[in-house]
Amino acid sequence: ETGVTQSPTHLIKTRGQQVTLRCSSQSGHNTVSWYQQALGQGPQFIFQYYREEENGRGNFPPRFSGLQFPNYSSELNVNALELDDSALYLCASSPQSRPYGYTFGSGTRLTVV
Amino acid sequence: QQQVKQSPQSLIVQKGGISIINCAYENTAFDYFPWYQQFPGKGPALLIAIRPDVSEKKEGRFTISFNKSAKQFSLHIMDSQPGDSATYFCAASREDDKIIFGKGTRLHILP
């Protein structure tokens, strides 16, 4: 049984650019959630996908968008990058739409310069 | 508005001692209270979780104490070991909703 894998592990982008982060969910998990973790802070909920539909969103602007594919893998897209977008982006999968049994990936460290 | 407040921000404990981290929440609709452990360069990993219908849950050296009337819960790590050095997050959620994390406690166990 594989866990949650995220790619890339590290990324450096310039302000104003666009970025796509990828997540492969754990086998058997149909729900993927994305979190942003700023340095020294707890993870903040961005949004959740359940069976390819967004079914929950946190307090993030529309330039944060996502997709979930039929195999339940997911992408997080961020447009018009800002310096404050620099953070660790975490993907978590779970076997149902409820947050129980979350398994987190190791994250993608995004640096915006 | 911070819905889950965690303290202390950092904690240093001697090997073999008891580490205690406290959290308070505001939303009485929360029905799931997990604790996560995060090592540098890794994502958070679920350590132990509790529902509000019980006052205590123990798994090995880790115990959650839950006080529903005070809207508080805490993590106790007995016989703390250097390998327990990590950042710990308390969290809370409602059924079918996102998990809300505290700001974290950086725990260091002295050898």
Side-chain angles (χ1 to χ4, degrees), chain A residues 79-91:
Chain A
N79 293 321
L81 283 166
E82 301 177 359
L83 296 180
D84 284 349
D85 295 333
S86 295
L88 179 68
Y89 288 85
L90 295 163
C91 170

Side-chain angles (χ1 to χ4, degrees), chain B residues 12-19 61 77-85 107-111:
Chain B
I12 299 175
V13 175
Q14 291 280 352
K15 179 183 175 182
I18 302 173
S19 303
R61 297 184 295 110
I77 305 174
M78 312 299 288
D79 187 27
S80 299
Q81 299 298 311
D84 296 330
S85 296
L107 174 64
H108 182 65
I109 307 299
L110 297 173

Side-chain angles (χ1 to χ4, degrees), chain A residues 35 37 42 45 98-99 104-105, chain B residues 38 43 89 95-99:
Chain A
Y35 285 77
Q37 186 176 19
F45 177 75
R98 298 175 183 182
F104 279 90
Chain B
Q38 186 175 30
F89 295 96
E95 185 174 322
D96 281 349
D97 202 0
K98 60 186 176 292
I99 288 185

Side-chain angles (χ1 to χ4, degrees), chain A residues 42-63:
Chain A
Q44 297 287 318
F45 177 75
I46 302 175
F47 44 55
Q48 176 176 289
Y49 281 84
Y50 172 62
R51 294 183 176 178
E52 302 179 57
E53 296 286 332
E54 182 181 301
N55 75 336
R57 189 177 183 94
N59 190 25
F60 280 81
R63 58 189 186 84

Side-chain angles (χ1 to χ4, degrees), chain B residues 42-97:
Chain B
K42 299 292 185 182
L46 179 64
L47 196 60
I48 186 172
I50 198 168
R51 300 292 183 102
D53 53 346
V54 297
S55 61
E56 186 175 281
K57 183 174 181 179
K58 183 176 180 179
E59 290 185 0
R61 297 184 295 110
F62 301 91
T63 300
I64 299 178
S65 296
F66 188 84
N67 186 329
K68 188 174 181 178
S69 60
K71 293 188 288 185
Q72 295 176 346
F73 58 111
S74 61
L75 175 69
H76 292 62
I77 305 174
M78 312 299 288
D79 187 27
S80 299
Q81 299 298 311
D84 296 330
S85 296
T87 300
Y88 292 80
F89 295 96
C90 63
S93 75
R94 299 179 302 167
E95 185 174 322
D96 281 349
D97 202 0

Side-chain angles (χ1 to χ4, degrees), chain A residues 23-86:
Chain A
C23 170
S24 293
S25 59
Q26 182 166 319
S27 176
H29 288 189
N30 58 19
T31 302
V32 172
S33 301
W34 287 91
Y35 285 77
Q36 179 196 65
Q37 186 176 19
L39 202 61
Q41 300 294 316
Q44 297 287 318
F45 177 75
I46 302 175
F47 44 55
Q48 176 176 289
Y49 281 84
Y50 172 62
R51 294 183 176 178
E52 302 179 57
E53 296 286 332
E54 182 181 301
N55 75 336
R57 189 177 183 94
N59 190 25
F60 280 81
R63 58 189 186 84
F64 285 77
S65 63
L67 281 173
Q68 187 179 30
F69 300 100
N71 66 354
Y72 304 130
S73 66
S74 178
E75 287 182 354
L76 164 66
N77 299 289
V78 187
N79 293 321
L81 283 166
E82 301 177 359
L83 296 180
D84 284 349
D85 295 333
S86 295

